[in-house]
Amino acid sequence: MRRQYMMAALGAALVVVPGAAAARNDVGVAAAVNQDALRTPPGAGTRTIVLGDNLIYRERIETAGEGLVQILLVDGSTFTVGANSDLVIDEFVYDPNAGTGKLVATFGKGVARFVGGRLSKNAGGVTVKTPVGTIGIRGGIANLNLLGGGARFSLLFGDELSFTGLNGESRRIYERGYTLAIASAASGNYRPEIRRTNQADIAGVQQGLAGRGGQTGGISSPPTDSQVRNSGVGQANSGRPVVAVLPRPRPQVVESTQINEGGQVVNEINHGATNEIIRDVVVGGTPPPVEGAEVVMRVLTAASSYSPASETFTVTDPGRQGLIGGTPGSDITATFTVTAEGTQLTGTIGGETLTIPLPTGGQAAFRVVTSGGRTVAGTVHRNGDHFLAFTYFEEISAPLLVPSEVPGTVGGPLVVNAPVFGFWGVRTDPATLRETGTNQIRRYHLSADPVQVARTGVAHDLYFLNPLAGELLGPSFLQNVRTSDFLVVSGSDLTDDDPRFLVSSMLIQGQGASQSSAISVSAGQIYEDEVDGFVIGGPRRGGFRVSGYDPSVLYAGPVSSLPGSDGGHVFGPNGDNFVLGFGPGDLDAGNDSSARLPLPYETVTDTVSGYTHVGQVASISPSGEFVRTTRLLNGYASGMVEVGTNGGAAVPFWSMSPNMLTMGFDAVSNSVGASMTVLDAFDGDEHLAGLVLGFGDSLFTTGPNGQSALIDDNRYALTYNFGETFAITDDEEVIAPDSNPRSYMVPSTLVAGADNALFTDVARCTCSFLEWGYWGTRFRGEDVSETAPSDPRRRDFVHLGTWAAGDVSTYGELPTVGTASYAGHAVGNVARTTSDGPVQYLAAGNFNMTYDFGSRSGSASITNFDGYNFGGSLTSPTGSAEGLNSFVGGLSNPGETLSGVLTGSFVRGPTGPAQGVVGSFGVSDPSGAYTATGVVVGQQ
C-alpha cells in the first residue's frame, strides 16, 4: 500500500506544469518548501512561504538555518535555495509562444542551484547578480556557492557559464565539469580562477540543499500510515502500483516510413571490415597541396604516464589504452613540408625526420624508415588540400610490406603501446555553411580507431571503445559490428538552429550464456565558439558484456572534436572533416565501470581509455527527404538491474502502466525526450522500489535538457537527463544521483541488423506504427534516510534493457464489440543461476494475443522465449474514459515451473484505436534461480 501511495504521488508530482500566470507579475510558484523560509513582496510585509505560493518579481526570498525553497518559474527554470540564503527575482519577461524573454536575479548570500528552462537556451537570457560579479548561464545547471568567505560557481551541465567581475574582467566556462572560483571575496581579491570541479565544490552545495529530517516539504498535515491505508488509493488503482495519468495532447498518427536509397544514401549500414588493416577509400580528383607548402600538424603521442582528471590513480602505460597527449611533451605541434609534387609529406617528430607518402585522396598504408633508423608502419588519410591525418607505430621487425599482395597485414609486430597520431586541416568558415539556406541531414563515415586496428587486426565500427575491451570481445565479434554512421541534423543556419548529431554502433552475437553484446552511443550538439569555430561535443554512453557470465560494463566520458594546431575543430570548405576523440587537453578520458569492478578488466587502471576517429562527409541531403513526426507516445520498459552493493546480483525491474514511459518527439527542434519508471515488482531488491530515469530533452519542468538528436522517425538517440533521474526506496525516500547517470536510449531501427541473433527463430514484428528499442543506465547515489542499509551507496547498472511505446488509446476510445488477434514478438533480459555461476543475456520470443472487446476478455502467449512457452488470460482494460487504457494478465508455463505477469495497452494505428499492443512482462521460477523481464509489441 505504501508503494502504491508513493507511486500515485509521484505521478501527480510529474504533471505539475505551470500554466498561465495568475497575474501579470506572477513569475513562478513555490514548488517545494521546508518552512524556515520567508518571502517579502515589494511594498508588503514579510510572511512565511507556503507550498504553492505564487511568487512575483522583485520579491525577496530569504531562508534561515533550516530553510529550503524550490522556485519553479513559468518558463521551466528552477532556483533551489539552501539555508541562510537570499534571492530576489529582479526582472522576468517571458513569451511562451516564442520562448524568448529575460530573467535577471540577485543572489546575495548562501547556496543555490539554478536549472535552466526555455529562457536559458537564449544567449543572455539568464543573468544572476552576486556580490562578486554577474553570472550568465546558458542552457544548463549551475551551482552557486557564496559560503566560506569565497565564491564558487560550477557549470554542472550546459553550454556556457560567463562571469563579469566588479572590475569589468570577463571569464567564460564552455564545458560542464568546471568551476569559476574566487578565493577571498571578503578581502577584496576578486580575481577569478577557472578549474575542474572537485568533490568539495559539489558537496558544499549538496549539503546546503539537503533537507533536514522531520520536515514535511510544506505540507501542513502529512498523512499517517493509517491514513494512507484508509485512503482508497489502492482500490482506485485496482490494487496495482499505477502512476497517475499524465495529461497529453492527441497527436496525429502517422505511419512510419522506411526510407530507402533513392539517389541519396540515407540508411546505409556499414559493416566492420574483416581482418582489414587499411580501408582503401579513394575519393580522387582533388588537387594536391602546393609544392613546398608547410602545414603545422598537431601531434599526439603516448607519455610515460597519464593521470585522468576524474580519477585518483595514474596509468603507467597509457599508450596501450589509447591515452595519447595530455602533457606538454606528448601533445606538440610539428611543421611538415609537402614535397615531390604533392606526393610526399616530410617533417620531424621527436628529433627524427620521416617522409610519408601522400595518396591522391582517401586512406592508404605506408611503411618508412626514420632518420634514426627505425621502421614505422601506419596509415595516412587525405581529403584534397584541406585535411591530412596520419598514425603510425614502430615495427619490431621489418619484412617487406606489399599491401596489394598481403591485404590486412603489416610488415611485422608493432609497438602498439607507442602510437603517434597527427592531423592538420583548413578551418571551416562558419559563414559558408550559413549560406546553404536549407535544413540538412549530413552523414559522415568515421574511421576505425588506429590503436584498435593495431591491437586486434580488425578495422571495426564499435566506436569510442577501450582498446583492452576490444581484445576481450575479440576479432570475431568486432568485425560484425554495425553502425548508424555519424549523422548531423541542422537548420538552414548551423549557428542559430541548434544542430545536433548522433552516432551509434551495436552488436548482439550468440545466444544464452555464450552471448556477447555491445552498444556505443553518443548524441550531442554542434555549436559555434567565437574562437574555435564549430565544435562537436557530447557524452560517451553504452556498454558491453563479454559473455553471459561476465558483468556488464557501462561507459562514461566525453566525445568531442579535437582542435588542430590553430584551434579549429572542423575542416574543409563544407565542414568535410573532423577528428573525434576524448579530452587529452583536459586530461579527460573515457571511463568504464561495472557492478563488480575491476571485472572484466584486470585492474581499475585498465578502466580508462582514449579513442580517435577521423570523420569524413559522405552525403548531404535536405531534411525534407526524411519523415520526421512531432508526437507523444506512451508505453513500457524493462531491464535487469545489476546491484553493485550486492555483488552485481541481477533484479528484474519493469513498468506496470503506460504512464511509466512517456516519449516526446519535436521535429522542429530535432529533439526527443523520455521519462521512464521501472519498478522492483518481484521485491528482489531489499531496499529499492523503483528507478525514475530521464533521457534526452526534458518533458517536464523538473530539470534541464540532456542530449538527444532526432534524424528521422527511425533514427534518434537520447542520453542522460540529470534533472529527471532519481531512485525511490521501499520507504518512499528519494535518492538523488550524485553524478550524471550514464543513461542512453535508442530505437531498434537506429542500427539495423545489430540484434539479428535474437530473431534467428523468432518472427520480428514489422509494427510500423509502434516503437521499441534498447536502453541502459548506471545510477549512483547515497541513501541518507534513517532506514538506509549498512552500506547506503547505490550503484545500479542496466545494460541493454528494452522498451516499447505507441500512441496508447484512451479507455473511452476502445471498441465495445468485435474480436481481434495480434501477432508480434517479445524481447527482454534473462538472469539465471547455473553450476558455473550467475548468467545474464538477452532473448526474444513470439508474442500472440486474442481479445474479445464485447466480453472484455482475452488471452496472450509468449513462445520460444529462451526455450520457454508461457501465457494466460487477460482482465478487462481499466482506466477512466479520458485516461490511457491498460490490461493485466497472469503468466505461467505448462509445467508451472514459471509464473509471472503481463501488463499492456492497446495502441492506436492508422486504421483504428486498437490496431496494436505494447506491454511488459516478468516471470520467475519459485526459487528465483530463473527470472526474465521484457517488453512485447504486436499488431492486428
Side-chain angles (χ1 to χ4, degrees), residues 753-805:
D755 57 358
N756 281 350
L758 299 180
F759 296 91
T760 302
D761 301 315
V762 173
R764 187 193 296 262
C765 183
T766 55
C767 300
S768 58
F769 57 93
L770 302 177
E771 301 284 326
W772 72 275
Y774 301 95
W775 66 278
T777 191
R778 186 217 62 180
F779 178 88
R780 189 176 70 180
E782 185 171 356
D783 185 354
V784 296
S785 67
E786 294 180 358
T787 59
S790 57
D791 186 353
R793 297 169 299 165
R794 292 297 316 191
R795 291 186 296 111
D796 300 298
F797 298 77
V798 176
H799 170 63
L800 288 176
T802 55
W803 62 269

Side-chain angles (χ1 to χ4, degrees), residues 630-701:
T630 297
R631 51 196 169 140
L632 190 70
L633 306 179
N634 290 93
Y636 299 80
S638 71
M640 286 291 175
V641 176
E642 296 173 62
V643 184
T645 53
N646 192 21
V651 179
F653 278 57
W654 73 90
S655 304
M656 302 292 287
S657 80
N659 304 297
M660 292 187 180
L661 176 62
T662 301
M663 302 180 67
F665 297 76
D666 189 336
V668 177
S669 65
N670 309 317
S671 64
V672 191
S675 180
M676 175 190 298
T677 300
V678 289
L679 303 177
D680 177 21
F682 282 162
D683 287 328
D685 188 284
E686 63 180 14
H687 194 58
L688 198 66
L691 287 170
V692 180
L693 304 170
F695 301 84
D697 285 45
S698 292
L699 293 182
F700 310 108
T701 58

Side-chain angles (χ1 to χ4, degrees), residues 441-591:
I441 305 293
R442 290 172 163 253
R443 183 170 61 94
Y444 290 82
H445 288 311
L446 295 186
S447 69
D449 187 317
V451 177
Q452 299 273 349
V453 175
R455 296 193 72 87
T456 65
V458 177
H460 63 81
D461 292 320
L462 190 52
Y463 304 128
F464 321 126
L465 184 67
N466 186 327
L468 303 183
E471 293 181 350
L472 293 171
L473 291 167
S476 63
F477 179 90
L478 297 174
Q479 66 192 13
N480 292 307
V481 169
R482 308 293 184 92
T483 178
S484 67
D485 277 340
F486 186 96
L487 303 172
V488 177
V489 57
S490 70
S492 58
D493 188 329
L494 276 178
T495 60
D496 294 336
D497 292 335
D498 191 17
R500 301 181 179 225
F501 76 86
L502 69 79
V503 60
S504 183
S505 46
M506 179 180 169
L507 181 67
I508 299 171
Q509 183 170 277
Q511 297 184 343
S514 62
Q515 184 181 91
S516 301
S517 58
I519 181 172
S520 179
V521 183
S522 185
Q525 294 173 304
I526 301 174
Y527 62 93
E528 185 179 359
D529 181 271
E530 61 186 20
V531 175
D532 299 334
F534 290 123
V535 178
I536 302 169
R540 171 184 181 254
R541 293 294 181 262
F544 69 90
R545 192 189 302 277
V546 176
S547 76
Y549 295 101
D550 291 288
S552 66
V553 175
L554 274 293
Y555 299 155
V559 171
S560 59
S561 53
L562 299 185
S565 59
D566 69 347
H569 288 244
V570 178
F571 312 106
N574 196 23
D576 307 87
N577 294 94
F578 51 80
V579 177
L580 278 187
F582 53 111
D586 302 318
L587 288 175
D588 211 345
N591 174 274

Side-chain angles (χ1 to χ4, degrees), residues 57-59 88-92 103-107 127 129:
Y57 75 90
R58 297 181 185 173
E59 181 167 9
V88 177
I89 306 297
D90 298 304
E91 183 179 352
F92 187 89
L103 165 62
V104 179
T106 297
F107 182 58
T127 301
K129 295 180 286 187

Side-chain angles (χ1 to χ4, degrees), residues 726-774:
F726 52 94
I728 306 170
T729 72
D730 288 330
D731 297 310
E732 305 164 24
E733 299 286 347
V734 172
I735 304 175
D738 61 14
S739 61
N740 281 335
R742 301 177 178 185
S743 305
Y744 63 88
M745 186 177 185
V746 299
S748 61
T749 49
L750 177 57
V751 185
D755 57 358
N756 281 350
L758 299 180
F759 296 91
T760 302
D761 301 315
V762 173
R764 187 193 296 262
C765 183
T766 55
C767 300
S768 58
F769 57 93
L770 302 177
E771 301 284 326
W772 72 275
Y774 301 95

Side-chain angles (χ1 to χ4, degrees), residues 49-104:
I49 299 177
V50 178
L51 184 68
D53 271 356
N54 287 331
L55 303 176
I56 64 176
Y57 75 90
R58 297 181 185 173
E59 181 167 9
R60 181 176 300 278
I61 307 298
E62 297 174 282
T63 59
E66 300 295 329
L68 179 67
V69 179
Q70 184 177 71
I71 301 168
L72 178 59
L73 303 176
V74 297
D75 76 315
S77 301
T78 63
F79 276 104
T80 304
V81 182
N84 298 308
S85 299
D86 187 326
L87 176 73
V88 177
I89 306 297
D90 298 304
E91 183 179 352
F92 187 89
V93 179
Y94 176 51
D95 180 350
N97 295 322
T100 58
K102 187 177 183 180
L103 165 62
V104 179

Side-chain angles (χ1 to χ4, degrees), residues 767-932:
C767 300
S768 58
F769 57 93
L770 302 177
E771 301 284 326
W772 72 275
Y774 301 95
W775 66 278
T777 191
R778 186 217 62 180
F779 178 88
R780 189 176 70 180
E782 185 171 356
D783 185 354
V784 296
S785 67
E786 294 180 358
T787 59
S790 57
D791 186 353
R793 297 169 299 165
R794 292 297 316 191
R795 291 186 296 111
D796 300 298
F797 298 77
V798 176
H799 170 63
L800 288 176
T802 55
W803 62 269
D807 180 16
V808 176
S809 305
T810 65
Y811 177 78
E813 293 172 327
L814 294 181
T816 56
V817 296
T819 61
S821 297
Y822 301 86
H825 69 258
V827 59
N829 298 87
V830 174
R832 60 186 177 91
T833 302
T834 71
S835 58
D836 295 321
V839 176
Q840 289 187 65
Y841 50 86
L842 288 101
N846 296 302
F847 170 70
N848 293 94
M849 174 175 155
T850 60
Y851 202 81
D852 187 324
F853 289 98
S855 64
R856 288 302 204 241
S857 63
S859 63
S861 65
I862 297 173
T863 58
N864 196 25
F865 182 90
D866 195 33
Y868 288 96
N869 302 322
F870 40 86
S873 59
L874 304 174
T875 63
S876 299
T878 60
S880 64
E882 308 241 335
L884 303 183
N885 79 89
S886 63
F887 57 79
V888 65
L891 295 175
S892 63
N893 64 331
E896 296 187 349
T897 57
L898 295 177
S899 62
V901 63
L902 168 72
T903 57
S905 299
F906 294 101
V907 174
R908 176 180 296 277
T911 63
Q915 191 177 350
V917 171
V918 295
S920 62
F921 69 93
V923 294
S924 68
D925 66 7
S927 68
Y930 184 97
T931 59

